[in-house]
Amino acid sequence: MKALFVAEYTDAKAVSHAQDKLHGIGVDFEIYSATPLHLAKAHRRPKRWLSWIMAASVMIGAALSIATQYWTAQISYPLQIGGRGVGWPAYIPSAIALAMFWGALGAMIAFFGFAKLPRLHNPIFDAEAYPRIPGGAILIAVECKDDNAEQAIAFLKSQDGLQSTEFLQAEQNG
Amino acid sequence: MAKATSMDTHLTTPEALPLEENAFGLRWWLAVIISAALVIALFAALFYTALTGIGVWGNNIPFVWGFDLANYGWWIGMANGSALFACLLILWRAPMRLAISRWAEALALAAAICAALFPVFHLGKAWLSYWMVPYPAHTGLWPQPMSPLTWDFWSIFAYLLTIASLWYIGLIPDLAMLRDRARACLKQRIYGLFALGWTGSSRQWALQQHCHRLLALSVIPFLIVMQSIVALELAVTLVPDWHDTGLPVRFVVSGFASGLALAYFFAGLMQSILPEMIDVDDDILDQIGVFTLGAVYLSMFVVGLTALLEWLAPPDSSNSLTEWTSGSGAVLTWSSLFLSKVVPQLLWFRKIRRNRYAAIGISAAIASGIWLDHLSTIILGLAHGHMETAGNLYAPSIIELIILIGTLALCLLIMLIFARLLPLIAIYAANEKQIYNQGERLP
Amino acid sequence: MADSTSPFTDHTPKLWRRLDELNDEQRNITERAKKLFPQLTKSMLIDRRTALRLMAASAALAAASGCADNSSKASEQRMGGKSKGPVEDRYTLLNQNGTAFGVVVRTVGGNPVKIEGDPDHPASLGRSNVQAQAALLSHYDPDRIDLPRLGGKETDWKKCREFLASFSEKGIGEGLHILLQPTASPTLERMIREVKQRLPATRFYQYRPIPLNNIIPPIDYQSNNLVISFGCDFLGAGPGQVRHAADYAEFRRNDRQESKLIVVESVPTLTGAQADEHVILEPRQLEQFIQALNEGDITNIAPQYRDLANAIINEPRLLLKGNGISANAGEIAKSLGAVELQSPQLFDDSQCADISALHKALEQDEADHLMILGGNPVYDAPARLNFAQTLSRSRVASTYLGSEWNETAGLCSNYISETPELAQWGDLRSFDSSVGLRRPVTSGTGMTAIEILSHLAGIPESGEMLVRKTYDAPDLPVEQLAQKIRSSTNAANNMNPPPSGKVQKPLGIMPDNRFALVFAPSPHIWDGSLANNSWTQELPAPLTGLAWGNAASIAASTAEKLGLKDGDEIEISLDGASIKIPVIQLPGQAENTLGLPLGYGRKMAAIGSVIGHGVYALFNGNFVEQGALVTKTGAHHDLIFADRFMAADDDKAVRWVTSETEQLRRKEEAPSFFDPEYRAEKQWGMVIDLDICIGCNACTIACQAENNIPVVGPEETAAGRAMHWIRVDRYHRGPAENPDTAFQPVPCMHCELAPCEPVCPVGATTHSSEGINEMTYNRCIGTRSCSNNCPYKVRRFNWFDYQAPDRNVGMSTEGQNPRVTVRDRGVMEKCTFCVQRIEAVRLGDDKGGEDGMPVTACQQTCPTQAIIFGDLADAQSPVAKARAEPRNYSLLEDLNLKTRTTYLAKQTREV
């Protein structure tokens, strides 16, 4: 059983300020908005991971592509093709294309993993303020699980530009 | 400093949302009906060819390829040019990206779909095209990896999926917005399904933005590889006029020119058909025009260099320069040069760049000039073999013309439907722009 | 549609005839469109094809119910879609222009599938010509009519026999006139005598457009190192071609530097192409040339030919005369006093009058019943007789015996279908006067001329018994009968040589604006009798490259003078008659002379209808005519070339050496990135000796028959889609007025570093361990990239389903080689080195050649044996030895593809 405290803002600057403060307090919180907010220092680690995973996928894709070409042409069903032996240079163009495809695929899957997508229902959808996000509302949701949360809620309530607040009782499965 | 943000600012421009029925008036319906009719003709022609034989085209020995490969190379070039444009906007975070990058991605995807029709339907046995896929067949046979056509299969396969991913990743937040705004339950569910439960959390935003850029990065090598492979299908052969390492470069840069011309064309066209739907103003037309002119100059440089090298080459090696400029097919060469190199010089004038009708006309000239370049490369090359000079004995059949026009209609139809169902511009980016305009850049 | 005033009204429900009329209507629309939208006319052609195909399919369906009981028809003996049953080789004789050509016919389950030359026959020596190969397709003619027609109504054979027998019962044959095609058959001669005995008032006539005695006997080169031909095209098409070519090749092969061939002619021929010295003169000049030789006074001769004239006068020589010179010139040449070969008389025509006598009889209404036994006089009778008009105006009843429903059949009241050639009994003399037995190699219904004559003579009997009686051997087994006939004394040997031709008026001086006409049988469809044979129609003529049509050949300078380009139509008028025909410029042709190929422009010949332009309207039996007027009509015809690769980019494609010692062969292999591995014991290769290739095209058609190669038809041929696996390229060297001519058969080169193989995305074309470049048809998906990368352009693509029943104008299913896959739409195909024959020898199903090695179809057919095939790994094999010759070279050697097919250079005589 966990609960969410949701605070609604419209001023991105206030949100930015709140974010710094909440980080200082040390609570689990999340900011929801209709546009990317370009918040400093946020989420650097998963972003770096995303890059590395993509780089690895590119390498794996290239290796796999070359290996597949070699195996099909030379091991599984060798044929005499125009007196040529192994056509290593000829394997390169497909390898480039497939490496890039694997890279894109890897990055996309990693993105889904880190962003916890797809997840068709999310507790935040139940927030009364949620439909106002496309209209420019920015929500800060704090997980109420320890004392720090109370401190955070107190801070948010005192912030300038606060539009509304609400508590969400999240379902176990939500 | 910061201006106060008004409480009721409605950031999302309703015109940009494809939900509003009234945005699609008679002109949209007319465009859809015409292009749909031509697309039906396209598929009729393709299936007629598949059922009757490639003989219904004008091909023969030695002209085993003609319109099919010319159209293919041309569409690949268009896809590449649009994709290059989209990727540069994304990677450089260019000021006009929000208006264009979404539909430039979609345009690249549509062009790639048009291109992908040709490698399948130009086959003598189109229904066996799946033999290019390495699947464990009962015969134990695999595709033959030394063939440029195998490379081609892989590259178009990878390219289609990659460009579709790029487009989709960029689209997810807007799908979520459509989901949130939808009133009808079914609509909400469908958009909701494709939005994958996007919440708009800062973590998701950060990852999505990063992933979008990474995908744009992964598309860049394709721009070289795709068109090079098309060129290599010709250049690796023993046909004297094709056997040229410069061919891939020429194809790549001419592809950029025609692809940017396609974007320019589309910008002008959409401004005429659906001005409300698309955030294209004269400044953007102006900027695309400059890009296009730049690509045309790049292409001019490469063509000029090729011609110079041919001219300096020992005269007995291959007379392709003479053949191309004064032979039986010289009219193709000269009209290609006129359309794709001379006409675009009009873009030097700012007033012309900013005129949507001029944009449509000039970009159509560039694209058709590049198309003629593809056609003449194939036909004039094949006309002059080692054993024979066949002369220009290839003439397209009406079926081939229908197929060419049909793919143009298919590209347009895809874009029209896209405009109806999904936002043509990235709404979140448009909102972001408004935020920037209202306030200062966030830390 | 059908023009009721024309004598060629539609008498028969034949598919092609009606469709052709449709074509005519369509053609006008196409012509109009062509002017407006030149790019789009191609597609209109295609649309027409589609319409035709649909109509053909529906017509076939409609006809299906009616032909169920025609089980005897060769084309309907379908055996589960493919010929099955025992393989048997059967010997018989083909009738080639009335003389014998010995063949061995391979039958599968009783159906002939391939014709090869009979090694023991003097005219074939085991090799064959275009006409012998084409006989196979004619056998499966789908337009053949099985039942006789009396008074225009189909009837049965019993009624037909009764009808014929009624003549012998009616009296002495008054009013019965019989026109026959002279045929070198002792039994035919006997039957004429029998009829004369029974019905003494019967009158016999004979006609054949290309006379039977228009052939020289085999040449003895032993004592003749200098051979001079005055317009004698002994290497050209005809029943003697194979033997002459074989003898000639032997003569040249043994003694190239000593032997010399001089050809004097006006219109180039295959013989002229082989000449060491080629004298090209207008017929009038040619006459003067011979006159000057005759008088020993060379001052009147053009300077460039004076040395030659001296040589002809002073050296011992063998003189050959032919149809290429005027009859008058021939008479003059007689007194040159050279060794001269006389044509033998192969048919005793003492009982038969000329066709002009028949014409007179018809004009004077002397005839009650005219019987035309074979031939097609309505089409090809001398123009001055206007035979078609005479026959249709005359009230005479007429009966026609023929193998096809043609112009003559259309004008005759009764039609008797002739037994298919491969099902006939008979006997025939070969052009060297030896006799042989014709025996059926398959079944077929119909009657033959001798059977009809036997009915008229009141002694109705089968063909077999008639032949047996001629040789007085009623019970001998067939083999012994054949033996007996072969060794029988031949009456023809004792015959006198034929009377010399009538002396024509001397040519004298011709006004400048007049033209000479030189007629010649078409190299492929001959006198027109093979017009309904799509193999021969689609075969490009050796010197012009024309397929599906003909054109008047003309010197380039004359064409320029008249402002003519290839395909421009001219009107030729001679003695009140005129024809329209397009022209084609021909290198090495005399000025002010037109070469006119006979045989085209048939009006009722199924597939051959309205193909090409008829020239019989100007033909009166003289092969050279003078004084024709030529005017340009302004119309243009698109000439159809089966092969459009006219300009040679590679000037080393055909090479000439001046002596045997000149080394063309590369001593070392060129460096390469790749080293193909040879895994098998046998390594196949082919060497083609260009020095003795005479360009006869027999290899192309033999390959077509062996490998089930489809016929694509005129539109598709014009579109550049002919399917021949081995083409014969023609090259010229030297001035256009009198160039050297070389022929180069181009099959697949089977490159060891085959460029076609790596570009195939699905591995449908690969290399065998024995060095053959193989096509896997059922793996091919039709990307056509292999053809792009083939520098020799020997690959052929199935643009349509050319073998589908509704569009197949080539071989029907049961005549196809059961050992060769029939390719379907959308796949590439090409020469396989006859891999099916290689495998058959390996499996012991075939014995192969003399050394037990497989023999390819082109090799077996080649009259000069210029094609050598075998195992390159065996240094003692003929092919390995030929490859080691200094004259050996590869086509496009600079590409370093390591071809398995190589060529031996042409040799020129050292001066």
Side-chain angles (χ1 to χ4, degrees), chain C residues 313-326:
Chain C
I313 292 168
N314 297 324
E315 284 176 35
R317 69 267 187 193
L318 177 71
L319 187 71
L320 307 173
K321 282 187 316 186
N323 291 328
I325 57 171
S326 65

Side-chain angles (χ1 to χ4, degrees), chain C residues 563-641:
Chain C
L564 294 168
K565 289 198 176 62
D566 282 358
D568 284 353
E569 193 185 73
I570 53 169
E571 181 163 9
I572 311 172
S573 354
L574 179 72
D575 300 339
S578 73
I579 59 160
K580 286 178 181 171
I581 186 168
V583 296
I584 183 165
Q585 300 168 54
L586 199 55
Q589 174 151 335
E591 291 184 328
N592 304 317
T593 307
L594 295 170
L596 299 174
L598 297 164
Y600 286 91
R602 290 278 305 272
K603 294 201 172 72
M604 292 170 71
I607 279 173
S609 305
V610 208
I611 297 286
H613 300 262
V615 298
Y616 274 109
L618 301 179
F619 182 69
N620 279 310
N622 304 317
F623 286 88
V624 178
E625 293 275 9
Q626 290 273 349
L629 267 174
V630 171
T631 48
K632 182 180 175 179
T633 65
H636 182 86
H637 297 264
D638 286 332
L639 300 176
I640 299 176
F641 296 94

Side-chain angles (χ1 to χ4, degrees), chain C residues 769-788:
Chain C
S769 57
E770 296 184 340
I772 297 177
N773 170 248
E774 292 176 330
M775 266 306 298
T776 312
Y777 301 126
N778 55 0
R779 179 68 177 166
C780 179
I781 57 174
T783 67
R784 311 186 287 288
S785 49
C786 52
S787 174
N788 259 345

Side-chain angles (χ1 to χ4, degrees), chain C residues 733-765:
Chain C
R733 191 178 71 159
E737 300 80 47
N738 190 356
D740 288 336
T741 303
F743 297 100
Q744 182 173 46
V746 185
C748 175
M749 298 290 138
H750 294 274
C751 316
E752 287 175 9
L753 300 177
C756 51
E757 291 171 13
V759 296
C760 178
V762 290
T765 180

Side-chain angles (χ1 to χ4, degrees), chain C residues 734-854:
Chain C
E737 300 80 47
N738 190 356
D740 288 336
T741 303
F743 297 100
Q744 182 173 46
V746 185
C748 175
M749 298 290 138
H750 294 274
C751 316
E752 287 175 9
L753 300 177
C756 51
E757 291 171 13
V759 296
C760 178
V762 290
T765 180
T766 51
H767 237 69
S768 84
S769 57
E770 296 184 340
I772 297 177
N773 170 248
E774 292 176 330
M775 266 306 298
T776 312
Y777 301 126
N778 55 0
R779 179 68 177 166
C780 179
I781 57 174
T783 67
R784 311 186 287 288
S785 49
C786 52
S787 174
N788 259 345
N789 213 17
C790 174
Y792 307 99
K793 291 288 172 275
V794 292
R795 288 176 161 266
R796 298 287 176 262
F797 188 68
N798 287 275
W799 300 99
F800 287 113
D801 194 356
Y802 292 122
Q803 310 257 20
D806 59 333
R807 74 172 297 147
N808 186 0
V809 285
M811 178 54 81
S812 59
T813 316
E814 52 286 322
Q816 281 170 339
N817 186 348
R819 284 180 178 157
V820 176
T821 312
V822 173
R823 283 77 59 187
D824 58 347
R825 168 164 67 87
V827 306
M828 198 56 85
E829 60 181 67
K830 59 155 202 86
C831 161
T832 63
F833 268 171
C834 282
V835 69
Q836 70 280 4
R837 290 187 171 211
I838 295 174
E839 294 307 319
V841 169
R842 202 197 311 279
L843 296 170
D845 286 355
D846 256 353
K847 21 182 224 304
E850 279 167 22
D851 53 357
M853 278 288 134

Side-chain angles (χ1 to χ4, degrees), chain C residues 663-731:
Chain C
Q663 183 85 15
L664 292 177
R665 193 170 68 90
R666 282 191 178 177
K667 287 192 193 72
E668 287 163 23
E669 293 274 298
S672 170
F673 283 118
F674 307 111
D675 186 20
E677 51 177 307
Y678 308 114
R679 291 177 302 180
E681 195 186 322
K682 299 229 184 310
Q683 294 297 328
W684 304 112
M686 182 180 275
V687 175
I688 302 175
D689 189 349
L690 300 184
D691 197 38
I692 50 172
C693 173
I694 59 165
C696 67
N697 271 338
C699 49
T700 306
I701 195 169
C703 174
Q704 184 151 30
E706 170 73 18
N707 290 302
N708 301 335
I709 297 171
V711 173
V712 299
E715 288 100 338
E716 290 289 286
T717 307
R721 295 167 177 176
M723 298 295 282
H724 303 133
W725 284 3
I726 178 169
R727 64 172 195 266
V728 182
D729 284 350
R730 184 180 66 261
Y731 288 92

